[in-house]
Amino acid sequence: MEADNERYLRLRWFGLGAISLSVALIIMDSTIVAVAVPAIINDLGLSTTQVQWIQEIYTLVFAALLLVWGRVADGVGRRRILALGLLIFVAGSALCALAPSGGWLISARAVQGIGGSMILPATLSLLNATFRGKERTIAFAVWGSTIGSMAAVGPIVGGWLTSSYSWNWAFLINVPLGLIAAGGVLYFVAGSRENATVKLDDYLGALLSVVGFGSLAFGLIEGRHYGWWSANTDAPFPLFGLSPVPVSLVLSVLALVGFILLERSRSQAKRSVLLDLSLFNISSFSRGNLTALTVSLGEFGLILSLPLWFQNVLGLSALQAGVALVPLAAGSFVASGSISALSKSLPAVRMVQLGVGLEIVSVATLALLIRPDSST
């Protein structure tokens, strides 16, 4: 056992590479699809609703299961869950590439979402368990740089594969990369789990979190399509003229409030919980989550919408749309790498304010640069 620990310690930086490749896959895949959508529409003859769900079912499943799988990984083993998530993600990618119809592709994207929701929290936990001190700061900087850069590199890869080969290869590329990542995780990364004193049996909390986050994601995604209040003509099941979106959002609020109350009650009773709410009393934890939320709203909102704008409005090819996002990847990589040094001279609140300000300025500048010519 001691020899194994020494081996994993010696190979920890190779393990960081395998972990980073794992998270790169799920980030890159979500952006590849946005570029490949026009080709998928032409090939499979998809309806507007099917196009929406191809992009959104992944996000919906991913968001709904993220917290649950993170807690399960703590109990049964983070490396095990990460490797299993990679294999599920690879299987979902292969099914996507072989899809003969829109319904098949939507179902396969849901499988990808399950795998992705297992991968992301496990990578964070493994980094935290593998590295200490200054090395942990470096490891998380690499992890953050990977997410930021892959979010913008994905459209380039997707554009190249779609333009040079076919949209199927935008999914097939995940198969060899996913298998390499799974092998690297099993060989280079030491297994870890939480040494819990009580059995994890918070099943009601898991159900409430899935319903709460799933309903929230559904409402935010479909509001523009089904109507935020009154049902549009595309709404699948209008309730006396009412859109399903407000019902979904109310259900989300009720489920999440119930989840918080349940977790607080179980924590006071010294029972296992899905989420330890006391963590939010730690300023670095709560501010870190706020920062991550701010970055995600800005960066990933742009990443998913800009490729469609570039192709459908400006008339760029899939590859040109991907290349247009290279500056975003470069900026994200540089920012992630310099955040450690910057944090020593600026307080966390100032850094969040600076990030939000830069996002607002960049979005406004981008809107001015790419607006269509009103004279045509």
Side-chain angles (χ1 to χ4, degrees):
M1 181 65 69
E2 184 176 348
D4 286 342
N5 291 336
E6 291 180 358
R7 185 177 76 85
Y8 286 126
L9 181 63
R10 187 174 66 255
L11 299 174
R12 65 190 182 280
W13 295 109
F14 292 98
L16 174 60
I19 292 172
S20 298
L21 177 58
S22 301
V23 76
L25 282 175
I26 61 174
I27 300 300
M28 185 174 67
D29 181 80
S30 61
T31 57
I32 280 179
V33 174
V35 176
V37 160
I40 297 174
I41 294 174
N42 293 332
D43 192 16
L44 299 183
L46 304 179
S47 66
T48 304
T49 302
Q50 287 177 317
V51 172
Q52 268 195 308
W53 278 104
I54 285 171
Q55 298 187 75
E56 294 165 359
I57 190 64
Y58 177 87
T59 304
L60 183 61
V61 174
F62 184 93
L65 297 177
L66 192 63
L67 182 59
V68 174
W69 280 120
R71 192 66 181 92
V72 170
D74 291 337
V76 305
R78 291 134 183 171
R79 183 180 64 175
R80 181 180 301 173
I81 291 297
L82 176 54
L84 180 59
L86 284 166
L87 294 179
I88 292 175
F89 187 81
V90 165
S93 299
L95 290 173
C96 287
L98 299 173
S101 64
W104 178 307
L105 185 54
I106 292 170
S107 300
R109 289 284 287 165
V111 174
Q112 281 190 307
I114 295 173
S117 67
M118 299 170 73
I119 293 171
L120 184 61
T123 60
L124 279 169
S125 300
L126 284 171
L127 287 182
N128 195 54
T130 303
F131 296 93
R132 295 288 185 273
K134 293 182 178 180
E135 288 188 348
R136 181 179 290 173
T137 302
I138 296 173
F140 275 101
V142 172
W143 184 88
S145 299
T146 300
I147 290 181
S149 58
M150 285 300 104
V153 168
I156 301 176
V157 177
W160 169 62
L161 291 172
T162 302
S163 300
S164 302
Y165 301 98
S166 70
W167 64 266
N168 309 79
W169 282 98
F171 294 104
L172 277 177
I173 192 176
N174 293 328
V175 175
L177 294 178
L179 293 176
I180 291 172
V185 166
L186 293 174
Y187 187 79
F188 295 121
V189 180
S192 68
R193 68 175 65 188
E194 180 182 296
N195 296 319
T197 57
V198 293
K199 180 181 179 181
L200 177 59
D201 57 356
D202 190 7
Y203 304 117
L204 179 57
L207 176 62
L208 289 174
S209 71
V210 170
V211 173
F213 289 116
S215 299
L216 177 62
F218 174 85
L220 295 177
I221 288 171
E222 297 298 344
R224 70 189 188 279
H225 186 61
Y226 294 154
W228 291 105
W229 185 254
S230 299
N232 294 336
T233 55
D234 292 332
F237 43 89
L239 307 172
F240 304 102
L242 185 68
S243 169
V245 170
V247 178
S248 176
L249 294 177
V250 170
L251 177 62
S252 171
V253 171
L254 294 176
L256 292 178
V257 169
F259 173 72
I260 293 172
L261 295 177
L262 175 67
E263 299 304 281
R264 181 179 297 176
S265 174
R266 290 180 64 91
S267 180
Q268 292 174 348
K270 306 299 182 182
R271 301 176 63 188
S272 65
V273 293
L274 194 67
L275 176 64
D276 186 359
L277 299 176
S278 64
L279 291 173
F280 290 95
N281 294 326
I282 304 174
S283 60
S284 59
F285 181 84
S286 56
R287 290 175 179 174
N289 278 278
L290 176 61
T291 303
L293 174 63
T294 304
V295 171
S296 297
L297 287 174
E299 181 173 5
F300 291 106
L302 287 173
I303 286 295
L304 292 175
S305 59
L306 281 179
L308 295 176
W309 174 272
F310 287 150
Q311 294 180 79
N312 297 333
V313 177
L314 300 186
L316 301 182
S317 67
L319 181 58
Q320 288 173 327
V323 172
L325 293 173
V326 170
L328 183 59
S332 179
F333 185 83
V334 171
S336 298
S338 61
I339 194 67
S340 177
L342 188 62
S343 63
K344 297 177 181 178
S345 57
L346 287 177
V349 174
R350 294 297 183 191
M351 292 181 65
V352 173
Q353 292 173 341
L354 176 62
V356 173
L358 288 174
E359 284 189 0
I360 293 174
V361 171
S362 63
V363 170
T365 304
L366 187 62
L368 292 174
L369 290 175
I370 67 176
R371 61 180 178 178
D373 188 353
S374 59
S375 63
T376 59

